[in-house]
Amino acid sequence: IGVLSALYERELSGVGQRLDVSMMESVIYNMENAIIRYSATGEVPGRIGPRHPLNTPFQPFETADGWMAVAGVRDWEAFCTVLDIGELAEDPRFVRGPIRTQHHGELEPILMEAFKKKPTGEWMELLTGIALTGPVNTVEQMVHDPHIKERGAIARLPVPGPEERSVLVPTIPTRLSRTNPVVDTPAPAAG
């Protein structure tokens, strides 16, 4: 985005400029939610693992054959019914999102047990329209995913050296209509 901003400004002013990108500031930028919460409440956010600090359930869950992520529930009652924990739909500790977050410690173990009963694909089908879900892939699953292959997000490149071998590498994530970048050359051999 910084490069695009500089190029656009150059088109307007005719003057180039230096772009400085700090990895530390990039991490800080991605902590927006925690910084705003600290600023608004004075509360120093603690470590909470992979869950969302303000929305419950919003985290990965182990399934019968792997892991999946739940990133928000649209219909709590239907969600509970599908997970065969229908009694929680009316439990006052869990009826609304903010209250579920306050009682996350009580709810999480129940959800963890429920999700272990079926495979990821089945849960994703059953929860379509009820909750936003997705698989949590291993690197192996990701590089062999049909969508990733179709997009050309991974390339196989030869490794320079005396032995004939190759490695998988990520391609450039931007796609341009006229001048699409291509990753087809490995790094040069040492020396």
Side-chain angles (χ1 to χ4, degrees):
I1 292 171
V3 169
L4 292 175
S5 298
L7 289 171
Y8 182 72
E9 197 281 331
R10 185 194 67 190
E11 288 298 312
L12 297 175
S13 69
V15 180
Q17 58 190 307
R18 180 176 172 266
L19 174 62
D20 175 351
V21 180
S22 160
M23 289 182 73
M24 173 63 84
E25 290 173 39
S26 297
V27 171
I28 291 169
Y29 179 82
N30 284 305
M31 294 179 62
E32 174 190 19
N33 186 289
I35 293 167
I36 291 171
R37 278 187 299 124
Y38 166 71
S39 175
T41 68
E43 176 187 330
V44 176
R47 293 180 178 172
I48 59 170
R51 74 179 180 90
H52 193 282
L54 303 174
N55 191 353
T56 301
F58 196 115
Q59 67 186 79
F61 292 97
E62 186 175 7
T63 65
D65 68 346
W67 287 80
M68 67 178 287
V70 174
V73 175
R74 293 183 178 122
D75 184 336
W76 178 245
E77 187 175 335
F79 181 80
C80 290
T81 300
V82 167
L83 268 69
D84 198 24
I85 52 173
E87 67 280 2
L88 295 187
E90 299 299 323
D91 187 316
R93 298 171 299 168
F94 310 126
V95 292
R96 290 186 334 153
I99 297 170
R100 283 194 294 274
T101 299
Q102 288 174 4
H103 295 278
H104 176 269
E106 299 158 72
L107 179 59
E108 182 181 52
I110 298 167
L111 296 179
M112 289 287 191
E113 276 309 305
F115 275 107
K116 288 179 184 177
K117 294 177 182 172
K118 293 182 177 151
T120 299
E122 190 173 338
W123 282 126
M124 288 177 49
E125 253 182 65
L126 290 168
L127 291 169
T128 299
I130 296 170
L132 183 57
T133 63
V136 177
N137 291 328
T138 64
V139 171
E140 179 182 31
Q141 290 167 324
M142 183 267 305
V143 299
H144 295 294
D145 182 272
H147 179 76
I148 299 301
K149 285 184 175 187
E150 179 67 28
R151 293 279 303 162
I154 303 289
R156 181 173 292 282
L157 297 179
V159 175
E163 331 172 347
E164 199 171 303
R165 61 188 184 109
S166 62
V167 294
L168 297 174
V169 298
T171 61
I172 298 168
T174 56
R175 303 290 188 263
L176 301 168
S177 61
R178 274 188 323 102
T179 56
N180 207 30
V182 177
V183 175
D184 60 1
T185 307

